[in-house]
Amino acid sequence: MTLHQDPIKRRGLMLILSSPSGAGKTTLTRDLLQDTSLDLTLSISVTTRLRRTSEVDGIHYYFKQKSEFDRLRAADDLLEYADVHGNSYGTPREPVEKVLSQGRDMLFDIDYQGTQQVQKRAPHDVVTIFILPPSIRELRARLERRAEDEAEVIAKRLVNARNEITRWPIYDYVIVNEDIQTALAEVKSILIAERLKRARSAQGINAFVEKLLREG
Ligand code: 5GP
């Protein structure tokens, strides 16, 4: 398949999705990646968390020992990192730089601490979306339905969710995920509009307009 080439060249952007666990971000991420017309690349994080049975190393995360995680961090190989629910998580820097330099966009599923770090490092190239659950009752039901975590882990995630929910003010956009199809359409609309922002492609527009004006 040949990918559609935009007539105007632009820098790639970083699309960050954050939410408390159970707000539906994983489903949204999966659906966004399945839509190949969006040409999004997922940033695969490194984590010291134990692998869930449904997860595959190198697809969902790179599962690492703490010593290896600390080595990556010390070598400045991580674009951002944070401790979440008692485990360390971080974004490998190199794949991000590669994708963005190709004028393509990267999707991140990271928490508010990582979001703040990326916003500081690359304020013009980052678009942030916060996903809220419709209710705490629904959040709990989704966590329990997942049933992959121990009861103790679920309880910890619920406590953390209340803290995470208060972090919405640092995000550019906030979506309440009542219905996954609606939320998906909202994320896509944001992405499409952000791609068209003049500031992201001033040079590309200039080149395109010059070419237009040279036409007979
Ligand atoms: P989980 O353990 O459920 O996969 O993820 C727990 C939380 O860690 C989620 O809120 C997720 O967004 C966050 N997270 C996953 N990877 C990263 C990362 O590389 N950096 C940061 N800061 N948070 C991450």
Side-chain angles (χ1 to χ4, degrees):
M1 187 186 75
T2 49
L3 277 172
H4 167 71
Q5 278 269 291
D6 282 335
I8 291 173
K9 278 205 167 54
R10 64 173 177 86
R11 286 203 310 270
L13 59 81
M14 299 186 248
L15 181 66
I16 298 183
L17 289 189
S18 296
S19 75
S21 309
K25 182 184 42 175
T26 309
T27 312
L28 274 176
T29 304
R30 190 200 57 211
D31 290 354
L32 286 167
L33 293 170
Q34 268 174 3
D35 184 344
T36 52
S37 72
L38 294 176
D39 189 30
L40 281 171
T41 306
L42 180 67
S43 165
I44 302 170
S45 299
V46 288
T47 182
T48 60
R49 161 164 85 58
L50 288 178
R51 188 174 64 79
R52 296 185 185 126
T53 44
S54 63
E55 291 176 325
V56 180
D57 188 33
I59 292 186
H60 298 95
Y61 283 105
Y62 297 107
F63 295 95
K64 303 280 185 201
Q65 300 291 329
K66 182 80 171 107
S67 55
E68 174 62 6
F69 187 95
D70 289 343
R71 193 193 64 72
L72 292 171
R73 199 184 52 191
D76 202 25
D77 285 347
L78 301 179
L79 180 65
E80 61 73 36
Y81 55 86
D83 284 341
V84 187
H85 312 313
N87 294 299
S88 301
Y89 296 80
T91 301
R93 176 198 302 284
E94 205 186 300
V96 180
E97 286 175 355
K98 200 169 146 199
V99 168
L100 294 188
S101 70
Q102 293 167 345
R104 298 171 59 232
D105 304 329
M106 198 102 184
L107 179 64
F108 298 79
D109 169 350
I110 64 176
D111 83 328
Y112 69 91
Q113 304 171 80
T115 301
Q116 274 174 322
Q117 293 170 43
V118 181
Q119 281 174 327
K120 247 195 193 148
R121 286 196 165 194
H124 304 299
D125 294 333
V126 63
V127 177
T128 59
I129 306 180
F130 195 65
I131 315 288
L132 285 171
S135 66
I136 295 290
R137 188 202 293 183
E138 178 61 26
L139 187 77
R140 184 182 296 121
R142 287 182 193 167
L143 284 177
E144 284 171 356
R145 231 178 288 140
R146 187 154 78 189
E148 274 202 76
D149 294 316
E150 310 267 337
E152 192 191 318
V153 174
I154 293 178
K156 195 166 163 189
R157 281 172 186 256
L158 268 173
V159 172
N160 285 337
R162 289 182 174 274
N163 172 37
E164 283 166 33
I165 282 170
T166 65
R167 308 294 172 168
W168 64 268
I170 70 162
Y171 289 83
D172 299 321
Y173 301 91
V174 176
I175 292 176
V176 178
N177 180 17
E178 240 179 323
D179 168 70
I180 193 79
Q181 288 312 323
T182 308
L184 183 64
E186 287 168 346
V187 174
K188 285 186 187 178
S189 308
I190 292 166
L191 176 62
I192 291 165
E194 286 285 346
R195 282 179 171 173
L196 294 171
K197 270 202 171 153
R198 174 181 47 76
R200 272 186 222 298
S201 48
Q203 272 187 347
I205 301 172
N206 207 26
F208 182 76
V209 169
E210 277 184 4
K211 199 173 124 241
L212 273 186
L213 295 177
R214 276 199 302 272
E215 278 179 28

